[in-house]
Structures are given as C-alpha cells and as structure tokens.
Amino acid sequence: MKITPTNPYNIQRVNRATADVLTGVAVAIYTIATGRILLWGLIGEVTTGLAAGTTPDANFQSNPTTGTTTVLCGTLSVASDEIGTLYAITGVPADAMLTSSSGGVRDGLWGNPIVIPIGAIEFLCDENITGSISFQCWWMPLDDGATLVAA
C-alpha cells in the first residue's frame, strides 16, 4: 500500500477467512515476519454460532519467535455466542476481550496501538467447542520490510 495523504501511516488491513479456532489450544490467526508491526485494530466475528461448552473462555495473544508468549487481553466467556457476535481488544492486556452480540463493539486499539514482534498473533479458547470466527486486522510496519499475513 502506498503512503498517501489519506493514509499517512501506511495502515493496512488483512482479512482472515472464517475457521474453527475454538480447539482448546492456541491457534495462529496472523503471522508477522521480517520485523515488528504496530497493531491498530483486531476484530473477530462469529460466523457459525458457538457451542455452550462447559465454561469456554477465549483471548488473543502474541507468540513471538524469540521470547515468551504474552496475552493481548484478558479472557472472556464465549459460551453460546451467536452469529454476528464481535470481539475486539483495548490494547491494555489486563482488560478483558470486548464483545457485542450482533451489534457494534468498541475497538480500543485505534487510540492504543500495540507493538507486536516477529511471530504470531493467536486466538486461544481454553475448550474445544464447535463454531467459526473470521478476523480482520489493521496494522502498519514498524520496521522496514515487516509483514503480516493471515495464518
């Protein structure tokens, strides 16, 4: 994407197709290569209703190639979330993942972007339940040559 007056920060969007990411283990949803990025927005949307499970909790995390996995938000119960439910984060790791059932959800990252190192952005649901989620990510390269692609 070319830097223009309407996009002086070179913010780019990458969509990730819907998939079952509710497996009981962390699932890479985006891969960062070559350099660090600045994460401006991260939205998940339920495309196939989620099962009730026992008490399924989910969150986003950064899993760097070198170093320790870090949570990007606190967990949120995703039991029985319906089609159209949205998920987002504030940029403060202690804040629970934000949600809204079939409506709007505040994406707090626009005022609070996060530096993400080379590695993966993951979605973690602590239970294996049925359902699917699609994702959209807004980012910009922080280092020359940095890339972000759907995993």
Side-chain angles (χ1 to χ4, degrees), residues 13-69:
R13 184 187 75 216
V14 176
N15 297 328
R16 185 181 190 276
T18 191
D20 178 3
V21 294
L22 306 147
T23 62
V25 296
V27 175
I29 55 173
Y30 290 102
T31 302
I32 297 104
T34 311
R36 300 166 301 160
I37 66 148
L38 198 56
L39 183 65
W40 284 92
L42 183 58
I43 302 286
E45 181 177 357
V46 175
T47 55
T48 302
L50 308 186
T54 305
T55 55
D57 292 324
N59 70 335
F60 292 99
Q61 59 187 25
S62 169
N63 185 355
T65 303
T66 303
T68 303
T69 299

Side-chain angles (χ1 to χ4, degrees), residues 27 32 35 37 59 62 67 75 79 81 85 114-116 121 128:
V27 175
I32 297 104
I37 66 148
N59 70 335
S62 169
T75 61
D81 283 353
T85 298
I114 305 171
V115 175
I116 306 286
I121 296 173
N128 186 358

